[in-house]
Amino acid sequence: MKKRDENSQPEMLEGAKSMGAGAATIALVGAAVGIGNLRNGILQVHGVSNFSSNKIPSLLDFASITPAVNQVEMHPMWRQKKLREICAEHKIHVSAYSPIGGPGNVWGSTAVIDSPVIKSIALKHHATPAQVALKWGMSKGASVIAKSFNSERLKENIGSFNLKLDEEDLDGIDNLEERKIMRGDFLINQTTSPYKKVQDLWDDEI
């Protein structure tokens, strides 16, 4: 029996058709598969993740298709201002993972939702700290990826759409000390990794 090749073009096309995907389907593919399908006109839209404000221009120096989206850590304590400006310049949408700091994850933190500034804004608007963090991300034009399987938290997250942050709130958040939570220290070593210190991994933006 012939082994099914999950990366073959017929399989990918059939999979796309079964999901009702059209020409604007965003393909999340490995580099080799992506390059092959790009050459054959199959890949039309793609995205990247964790690309810094230095890596985006470097990518655009040789990419024939500009990424549609850059998914990065972004929340009130890691605001990505420079990166957002560069992405906006090239019409690349920013999608924020861990928009409330990733509490509950092994690498996550409650620093965002425990921030006195975030808490005071939440109290002022009869909201929750998580709703404030989510609304802040949306106010910057980003989509926010809030992961939860808890029905009450899902309702809480949806409630962020009804929250309105004023200029005082936004100024308060902009003055928070920045702190990247997902640092990627596990990728750093002096022998097998190309990254010898965490600053190398994030292009000295941390």
Side-chain angles (χ1 to χ4, degrees):
M1 182 176 178
K2 184 179 179 181
K3 184 179 179 181
R4 175 176 171 174
D5 182 359
E6 296 292 343
N7 291 331
S8 69
Q9 292 177 8
E11 293 290 355
M12 291 182 69
L13 288 174
E14 287 303 314
K17 289 176 183 176
S18 69
M19 292 185 291
T25 299
I26 294 180
L28 297 177
V29 294
V33 175
I35 292 169
N37 289 327
L38 174 59
R39 288 172 179 163
N40 287 287
I42 294 173
L43 179 61
Q44 296 184 31
V45 182
H46 70 103
V48 295
S49 183
N50 290 323
F51 270 54
S52 68
S53 57
N54 287 331
K55 286 186 174 68
I56 287 291
S58 296
L59 173 65
L60 296 178
D61 282 342
F62 65 85
S64 58
I65 297 179
T66 299
V69 60
N70 185 16
Q71 186 184 95
V72 295
E73 177 185 344
M74 177 179 155
H75 47 71
M77 296 184 75
W78 191 248
R79 296 182 286 280
Q80 300 277 21
K81 185 177 185 292
K82 182 180 178 181
L83 178 63
R84 285 189 281 113
E85 290 172 349
I86 290 174
C87 285
E89 180 183 346
H90 296 286
K91 297 181 171 55
I92 300 172
H93 175 72
V94 174
S95 184
Y97 68 73
S98 300
I100 61 174
N105 289 316
V106 174
W107 52 265
S109 169
T110 61
V112 174
I113 57 177
D114 285 344
S115 162
V117 171
I118 299 297
K119 283 185 171 181
S120 67
I121 294 171
L123 184 64
K124 169 183 171 181
H125 293 287
H126 306 287
T128 66
Q131 287 174 333
V132 171
L134 292 173
K135 188 63 178 186
W136 174 84
M138 289 186 281
S139 76
K140 299 303 179 182
S143 54
V144 291
I145 306 172
K147 184 181 75 173
S148 180
F149 299 101
N150 181 291
S151 60
E152 291 305 311
R153 285 180 182 164
L154 289 171
K155 291 177 183 176
E156 177 186 346
N157 293 342
I158 292 172
S160 63
F161 286 103
N162 300 319
L163 178 61
K164 295 187 188 305
L165 299 179
D166 57 36
E167 288 302 317
E168 182 182 16
D169 303 328
L170 297 174
D171 287 344
I173 292 173
D174 281 344
N175 287 321
L176 285 172
E177 182 179 357
E178 296 215 57
R179 170 190 171 189
K180 182 166 177 55
I181 294 173
M182 206 288 283
R183 293 169 51 89
D185 293 283
F186 64 95
L187 296 170
I188 309 301
N189 67 67
Q190 301 301 312
T191 54
T192 60
S193 175
Y195 307 110
K196 307 308 178 187
K197 57 184 187 297
V198 74
Q199 288 81 4
D200 296 336
L201 179 61
W202 302 110
D203 299 322
D204 289 316
E205 293 185 356
I206 185 173

